[in-house]
Amino acid sequence: AGGGESGEEAGEEADEESSDDGGFGGGEGTAETAAAVARAERVTEVDGLVLHLSSNATGYRGVAKRRGSSRRERFQACFRRKSIGCYTTAVEAAVAYAQRAAVTQAIDWMLQQVVAEVSEEGE
């Protein structure tokens, strides 16, 4: 996985719906079929880490399709509107997002514990 290729701030488009048909060509029916197949084949867990699923074009929260400089598709992972990096596959980007979310959640929990402890000492 190649993290950190893009440090640009990313908008909320990573979680928004896309009209992209996933490369399957053609009309609306084809796009809907492609989306259904992609949802059915989504990876939901990697090495015990639960991935955050979404209804966006990639199927993962915080992951958006980007076109690379060599005209290959790349996937950008963003957490709280900041780029985590660009990856070769949507699953790699989703793992990066899930890792960042888990670390952030743990830090938030620890900070809450410290604040509660300090509050108790001050009473």
Side-chain angles (χ1 to χ4, degrees), residues 21-32:
D21 65 4
F24 287 86
E28 286 181 29
T30 306
E32 290 171 9

Side-chain angles (χ1 to χ4, degrees), residues 44-84:
T44 59
E45 187 176 316
V46 174
D47 294 334
L49 185 66
V50 177
L51 304 183
H52 300 250
L53 303 181
S54 176
S55 61
N56 68 12
T58 65
Y60 299 102
R61 184 172 185 182
V63 177
K65 253 189 236 187
R66 299 284 183 248
R67 189 158 297 279
S69 60
S70 63
R71 303 193 52 85
R72 291 190 328 238
E73 282 186 350
R74 303 280 290 170
F75 296 88
Q76 183 176 18
C78 300
F79 186 78
R80 294 188 179 170
R81 305 187 88 180
K82 299 277 186 194
S83 177
I84 298 170

